[in-house]
Amino acid sequence: MRILLLGSGAREHAMASKIKQSRLCSQLYISPANAGMREIGECVSIGSDFESIKDFACKKEIDMLVVGNEQPLVDGIADSFANDERTAHINVIGPSKQAAMLEGSKDFAKEFMSRYSIPTARYQTFGKQDLEEAKQFLKTLNPPYVLKADGLAAGKGVVILPSIQEAERELEAMLSQAKFGHAGDKVVIEEFLDGIECSVFVLTDGKHYIVLPEAKDYKRIGEQDTGLNTGGMGSVSPVVFADQDFMQKVERRIIRPTIEGLQKENLDYRGFIFIGLMNVSGDPYVIEYNVRMGDPETESVMPRIESDLVEAFDLVGKRELDKYSLKINHDYCTTVMLVSKGYPESYEKGKLMSGMSDCTDCMLFHAGTKADENGNILTAGGRVIAVSCFGKTMQEALAKCYAQAEKIQFEGKTLRRDIGKDLIQLQK
Ligand code: AMP
Ligand code: GLY
């Protein structure tokens, strides 16, 4: 099978490694890729325009397209392939444009959840004309206040504020001053959920589904979850509190009604559903749906999948995922992300990296890296490289990650040293 994977992050590096292991994969192209993926597949730079991607897919006789990132899905890449006779036969892993609204519009996702009684925070949605009503609704909630831009806002559209004054000010900035551009034309205001987060991953053919290993990510730049939000500083899988009882609740109350809802509404969904949820006193509530895998969760989840992922993708395309037998490694896999100094604010790029070849018993997934003409690896982004390791315990896996992370050098290397610590506390 000839496969094209779209993306350039550590998530796609982890997916590419898994795809490459498959006996079904004869050729793997990755666009736009990064320096670490050169060893795995043929890295190409096709651009983001769908016509160019389809031309490439035809020229290279691609059988399967795997879309790493949400933007092309929300923009309708699956429909574009399906509606073009040249590419209609290609198995696209990723939902249709309409179904991708589950991530593309928070209001759509919330309405979907209320139609199927899927547990989520109480909410209301407001447009530009509704500023006064929105302020009234804020008064019915307890602090802190959660405001969400309806559309995609590069992961920055959720703002949580401690006081009603700040919440009102933010609401005006979003609705009246278009702080998030059109993504903030509508704002979802919702109740704050107090609990611990967990990321649950489902692969579906629209009818059947498999539940992949769950994970927890660490979003803030600072230790003990302080400072600005980032694209992710680390992850662990499995998550101690996501035991059989909890996951049964997730499946019964969230996953099944979600799949049934997609079917009832004729939403064509063949791909990943990433359910960001909050564990509130043992009960799961949906914070958000994403229509792709999570980053950096994927870097801890993919290595734990022992069965052939491309076989699962193939069955997704045939809508026969019920024939798949998922095999999971029950050890812990943890990920520590190395980032550039200053990230997520301004940072320098082009720093020479070294030490990667000294790393042992770990997986390195590149994010923002590039190779220069002499074959040196340079930093090329805020999040630079993920270090993932297995262990019989979370502590063992994390200790390995930190030991290997020491060996990698670049000027300004920054990392969080408390990945998994909150869960280790819970275990005690
Ligand atoms: P998102 O950008 O949608 O991933 O949301 C960013 C983060 O905001 C989530 O990962 C949660 O940590 C937090 N969050 C979103 N909604 C809520 C909520 N209703 N209650 C508490 N935290 C929330
Ligand atoms: N780790 C959260 C995300 O990928 O959105």
Side-chain angles (χ1 to χ4, degrees):
M1 222 173 265
R2 300 168 65 80
I3 303 172
L4 170 61
L5 168 67
L6 298 182
S8 64
R11 167 182 55 202
E12 286 79 19
H13 191 172
M15 287 173 94
S17 304
K18 188 67 200 151
I19 289 170
K20 188 65 185 173
Q21 287 167 11
S22 169
R23 60 177 179 87
L24 298 174
C25 175
S26 57
Q27 176 70 17
L28 174 62
Y29 294 97
I30 313 164
S31 173
N34 61 37
M37 295 169 173
R38 293 172 309 168
E39 293 153 23
I40 301 176
E42 193 171 327
C43 297
V44 290
S45 188
I46 310 174
S48 55
D49 148 66
F50 295 166
E51 290 310 311
S52 312
I53 299 171
K54 287 192 286 186
D55 287 345
F56 180 90
C58 294
K59 199 167 112 210
K60 300 292 184 184
E61 298 178 348
I62 295 297
D63 304 296
M64 183 185 286
L65 173 72
V66 182
V67 186
N69 175 277
E70 66 277 11
Q71 192 71 55
L73 294 167
V74 171
D75 292 342
I77 194 168
D79 311 65
S80 179
F81 268 66
N83 297 332
D84 188 329
E85 61 179 25
R86 298 177 305 151
T87 52
H89 64 284
I90 296 176
N91 176 14
V92 178
I93 300 302
S96 63
K97 181 173 183 165
Q98 189 65 25
M101 294 268 284
L102 279 183
E103 177 165 1
S105 163
K106 300 223 185 277
D107 180 49
F108 178 91
K110 294 294 275 193
E111 285 194 357
F112 180 89
M113 286 184 262
S114 45
R115 279 197 294 281
Y116 301 102
S117 306
I118 294 168
T120 186
R122 186 163 71 88
Y123 82 106
Q124 271 188 37
T125 304
F126 300 94
K128 284 193 185 327
Q129 322 305 327
D130 316 322
L131 189 61
E132 285 316 308
E133 275 171 81
K135 286 184 180 170
Q136 289 306 320
F137 182 64
L138 275 178
K139 292 199 179 103
T140 69
L141 299 173
N142 294 318
Y145 301 91
V146 184
L147 308 186
K148 301 186 171 185
D150 176 56
L152 289 185
K156 297 191 169 63
V158 176
V159 189
I160 300 180
L161 297 151
S163 74
I164 194 143
Q165 291 80 6
E166 285 163 284
E168 286 183 358
R169 231 176 293 138
E170 181 66 28
L171 191 60
E172 279 179 33
M174 284 166 113
L175 282 177
S176 313
Q177 292 143 33
K179 179 176 172 184
F180 294 110
H182 285 303
D185 283 348
K186 284 194 274 183
V187 173
V188 170
I189 303 181
E190 70 180 29
E191 182 181 50
F192 181 81
L193 297 170
D194 197 5
I196 313 184
E197 277 179 70
C198 179
S199 303
V200 169
F201 301 100
V202 175
L203 179 67
T204 183
D205 61 10
K207 210 161 129 194
H208 318 97
Y209 63 85
I210 53 174
V211 184
L212 302 175
E214 77 289 348
K216 182 174 191 293
D217 72 340
Y218 294 80
K219 293 184 174 61
R220 304 291 194 94
I221 187 70
E223 289 175 9
Q224 285 151 8
D225 291 327
T226 53
L228 293 173
N229 255 329
T230 70
M233 298 297 290
S235 63
V236 302
S237 177
V239 177
V240 282
F241 62 76
D243 55 14
Q244 211 181 356
D245 180 45
F246 183 80
M247 290 307 286
Q248 269 173 5
K249 288 182 191 167
V250 173
E251 209 165 332
R252 205 173 52 238
R253 298 178 192 173
I254 297 170
I255 299 175
R256 269 188 230 145
T258 299
I259 304 289
E260 282 163 16
L262 291 170
Q263 280 179 330
K264 274 196 196 128
E265 302 192 14
N266 281 321
L267 293 170
D268 184 7
Y269 209 118
R270 278 170 286 175
F272 293 104
I273 312 178
F274 158 8
I275 305 166
L277 54 84
M278 191 73 88
N279 172 359
V280 183
S281 311
D283 289 317
Y285 288 80
V286 178
I287 294 179
E288 59 174 0
Y289 286 112
N290 296 299
V291 298
R292 50 170 173 88
M293 287 297 289
D295 197 349
E297 290 96 323
T298 304
E299 294 90 299
S300 294
V301 168
M302 279 298 145
R304 292 192 57 214
I305 302 176
E306 288 181 339
S307 39
D308 187 329
L309 186 68
V310 176
E311 192 187 324
F313 288 164
D314 188 40
L315 291 169
V316 164
K318 295 175 177 151
R319 298 193 191 270
E320 292 178 354
L321 193 55
D322 53 325
K323 295 194 176 144
Y324 188 67
S325 162
L326 176 68
K327 246 187 109 211
I328 297 295
N329 180 335
H330 291 285
D331 287 347
Y332 281 84
C333 187
T334 62
T335 298
V336 172
M337 185 64 72
L338 309 186
V339 307
S340 300
K341 186 173 173 217
Y343 174 77
E345 296 183 282
S346 64
Y347 55 84
E348 289 177 19
K349 297 187 210 173
K351 306 292 183 192
L352 183 66
M353 297 175 66
S354 64
M356 282 87 81
S357 55
D358 300 330
C359 293
T360 48
D361 198 15
C362 77
M363 295 154 281
L364 299 180
F365 299 123
H366 290 227
T369 65
K370 68 169 192 197
D372 70 8
E373 56 282 5
N374 303 318
N376 295 316
I377 308 285
L378 308 177
T379 67
R383 293 162 80 237
V384 175
I385 193 166
V387 182
S388 299
C389 295
F390 273 108
K392 290 282 170 213
T393 62
M394 194 167 30
Q395 289 90 327
E396 184 191 332
L398 286 164
K400 281 192 197 170
C401 282
Y402 286 118
Q404 301 311 313
E406 282 301 312
K407 297 180 185 170
I408 299 174
Q409 296 300 333
F410 58 90
E411 191 188 319
K413 180 182 83 177
T414 303
L415 67 158
R416 260 180 75 167
R417 298 200 174 269
D418 68 337
I419 302 304
K421 248 192 186 161
D422 54 342
L423 296 179
I424 292 169
Q425 292 295 332
L426 276 186
Q427 276 177 323
K428 286 181 182 159

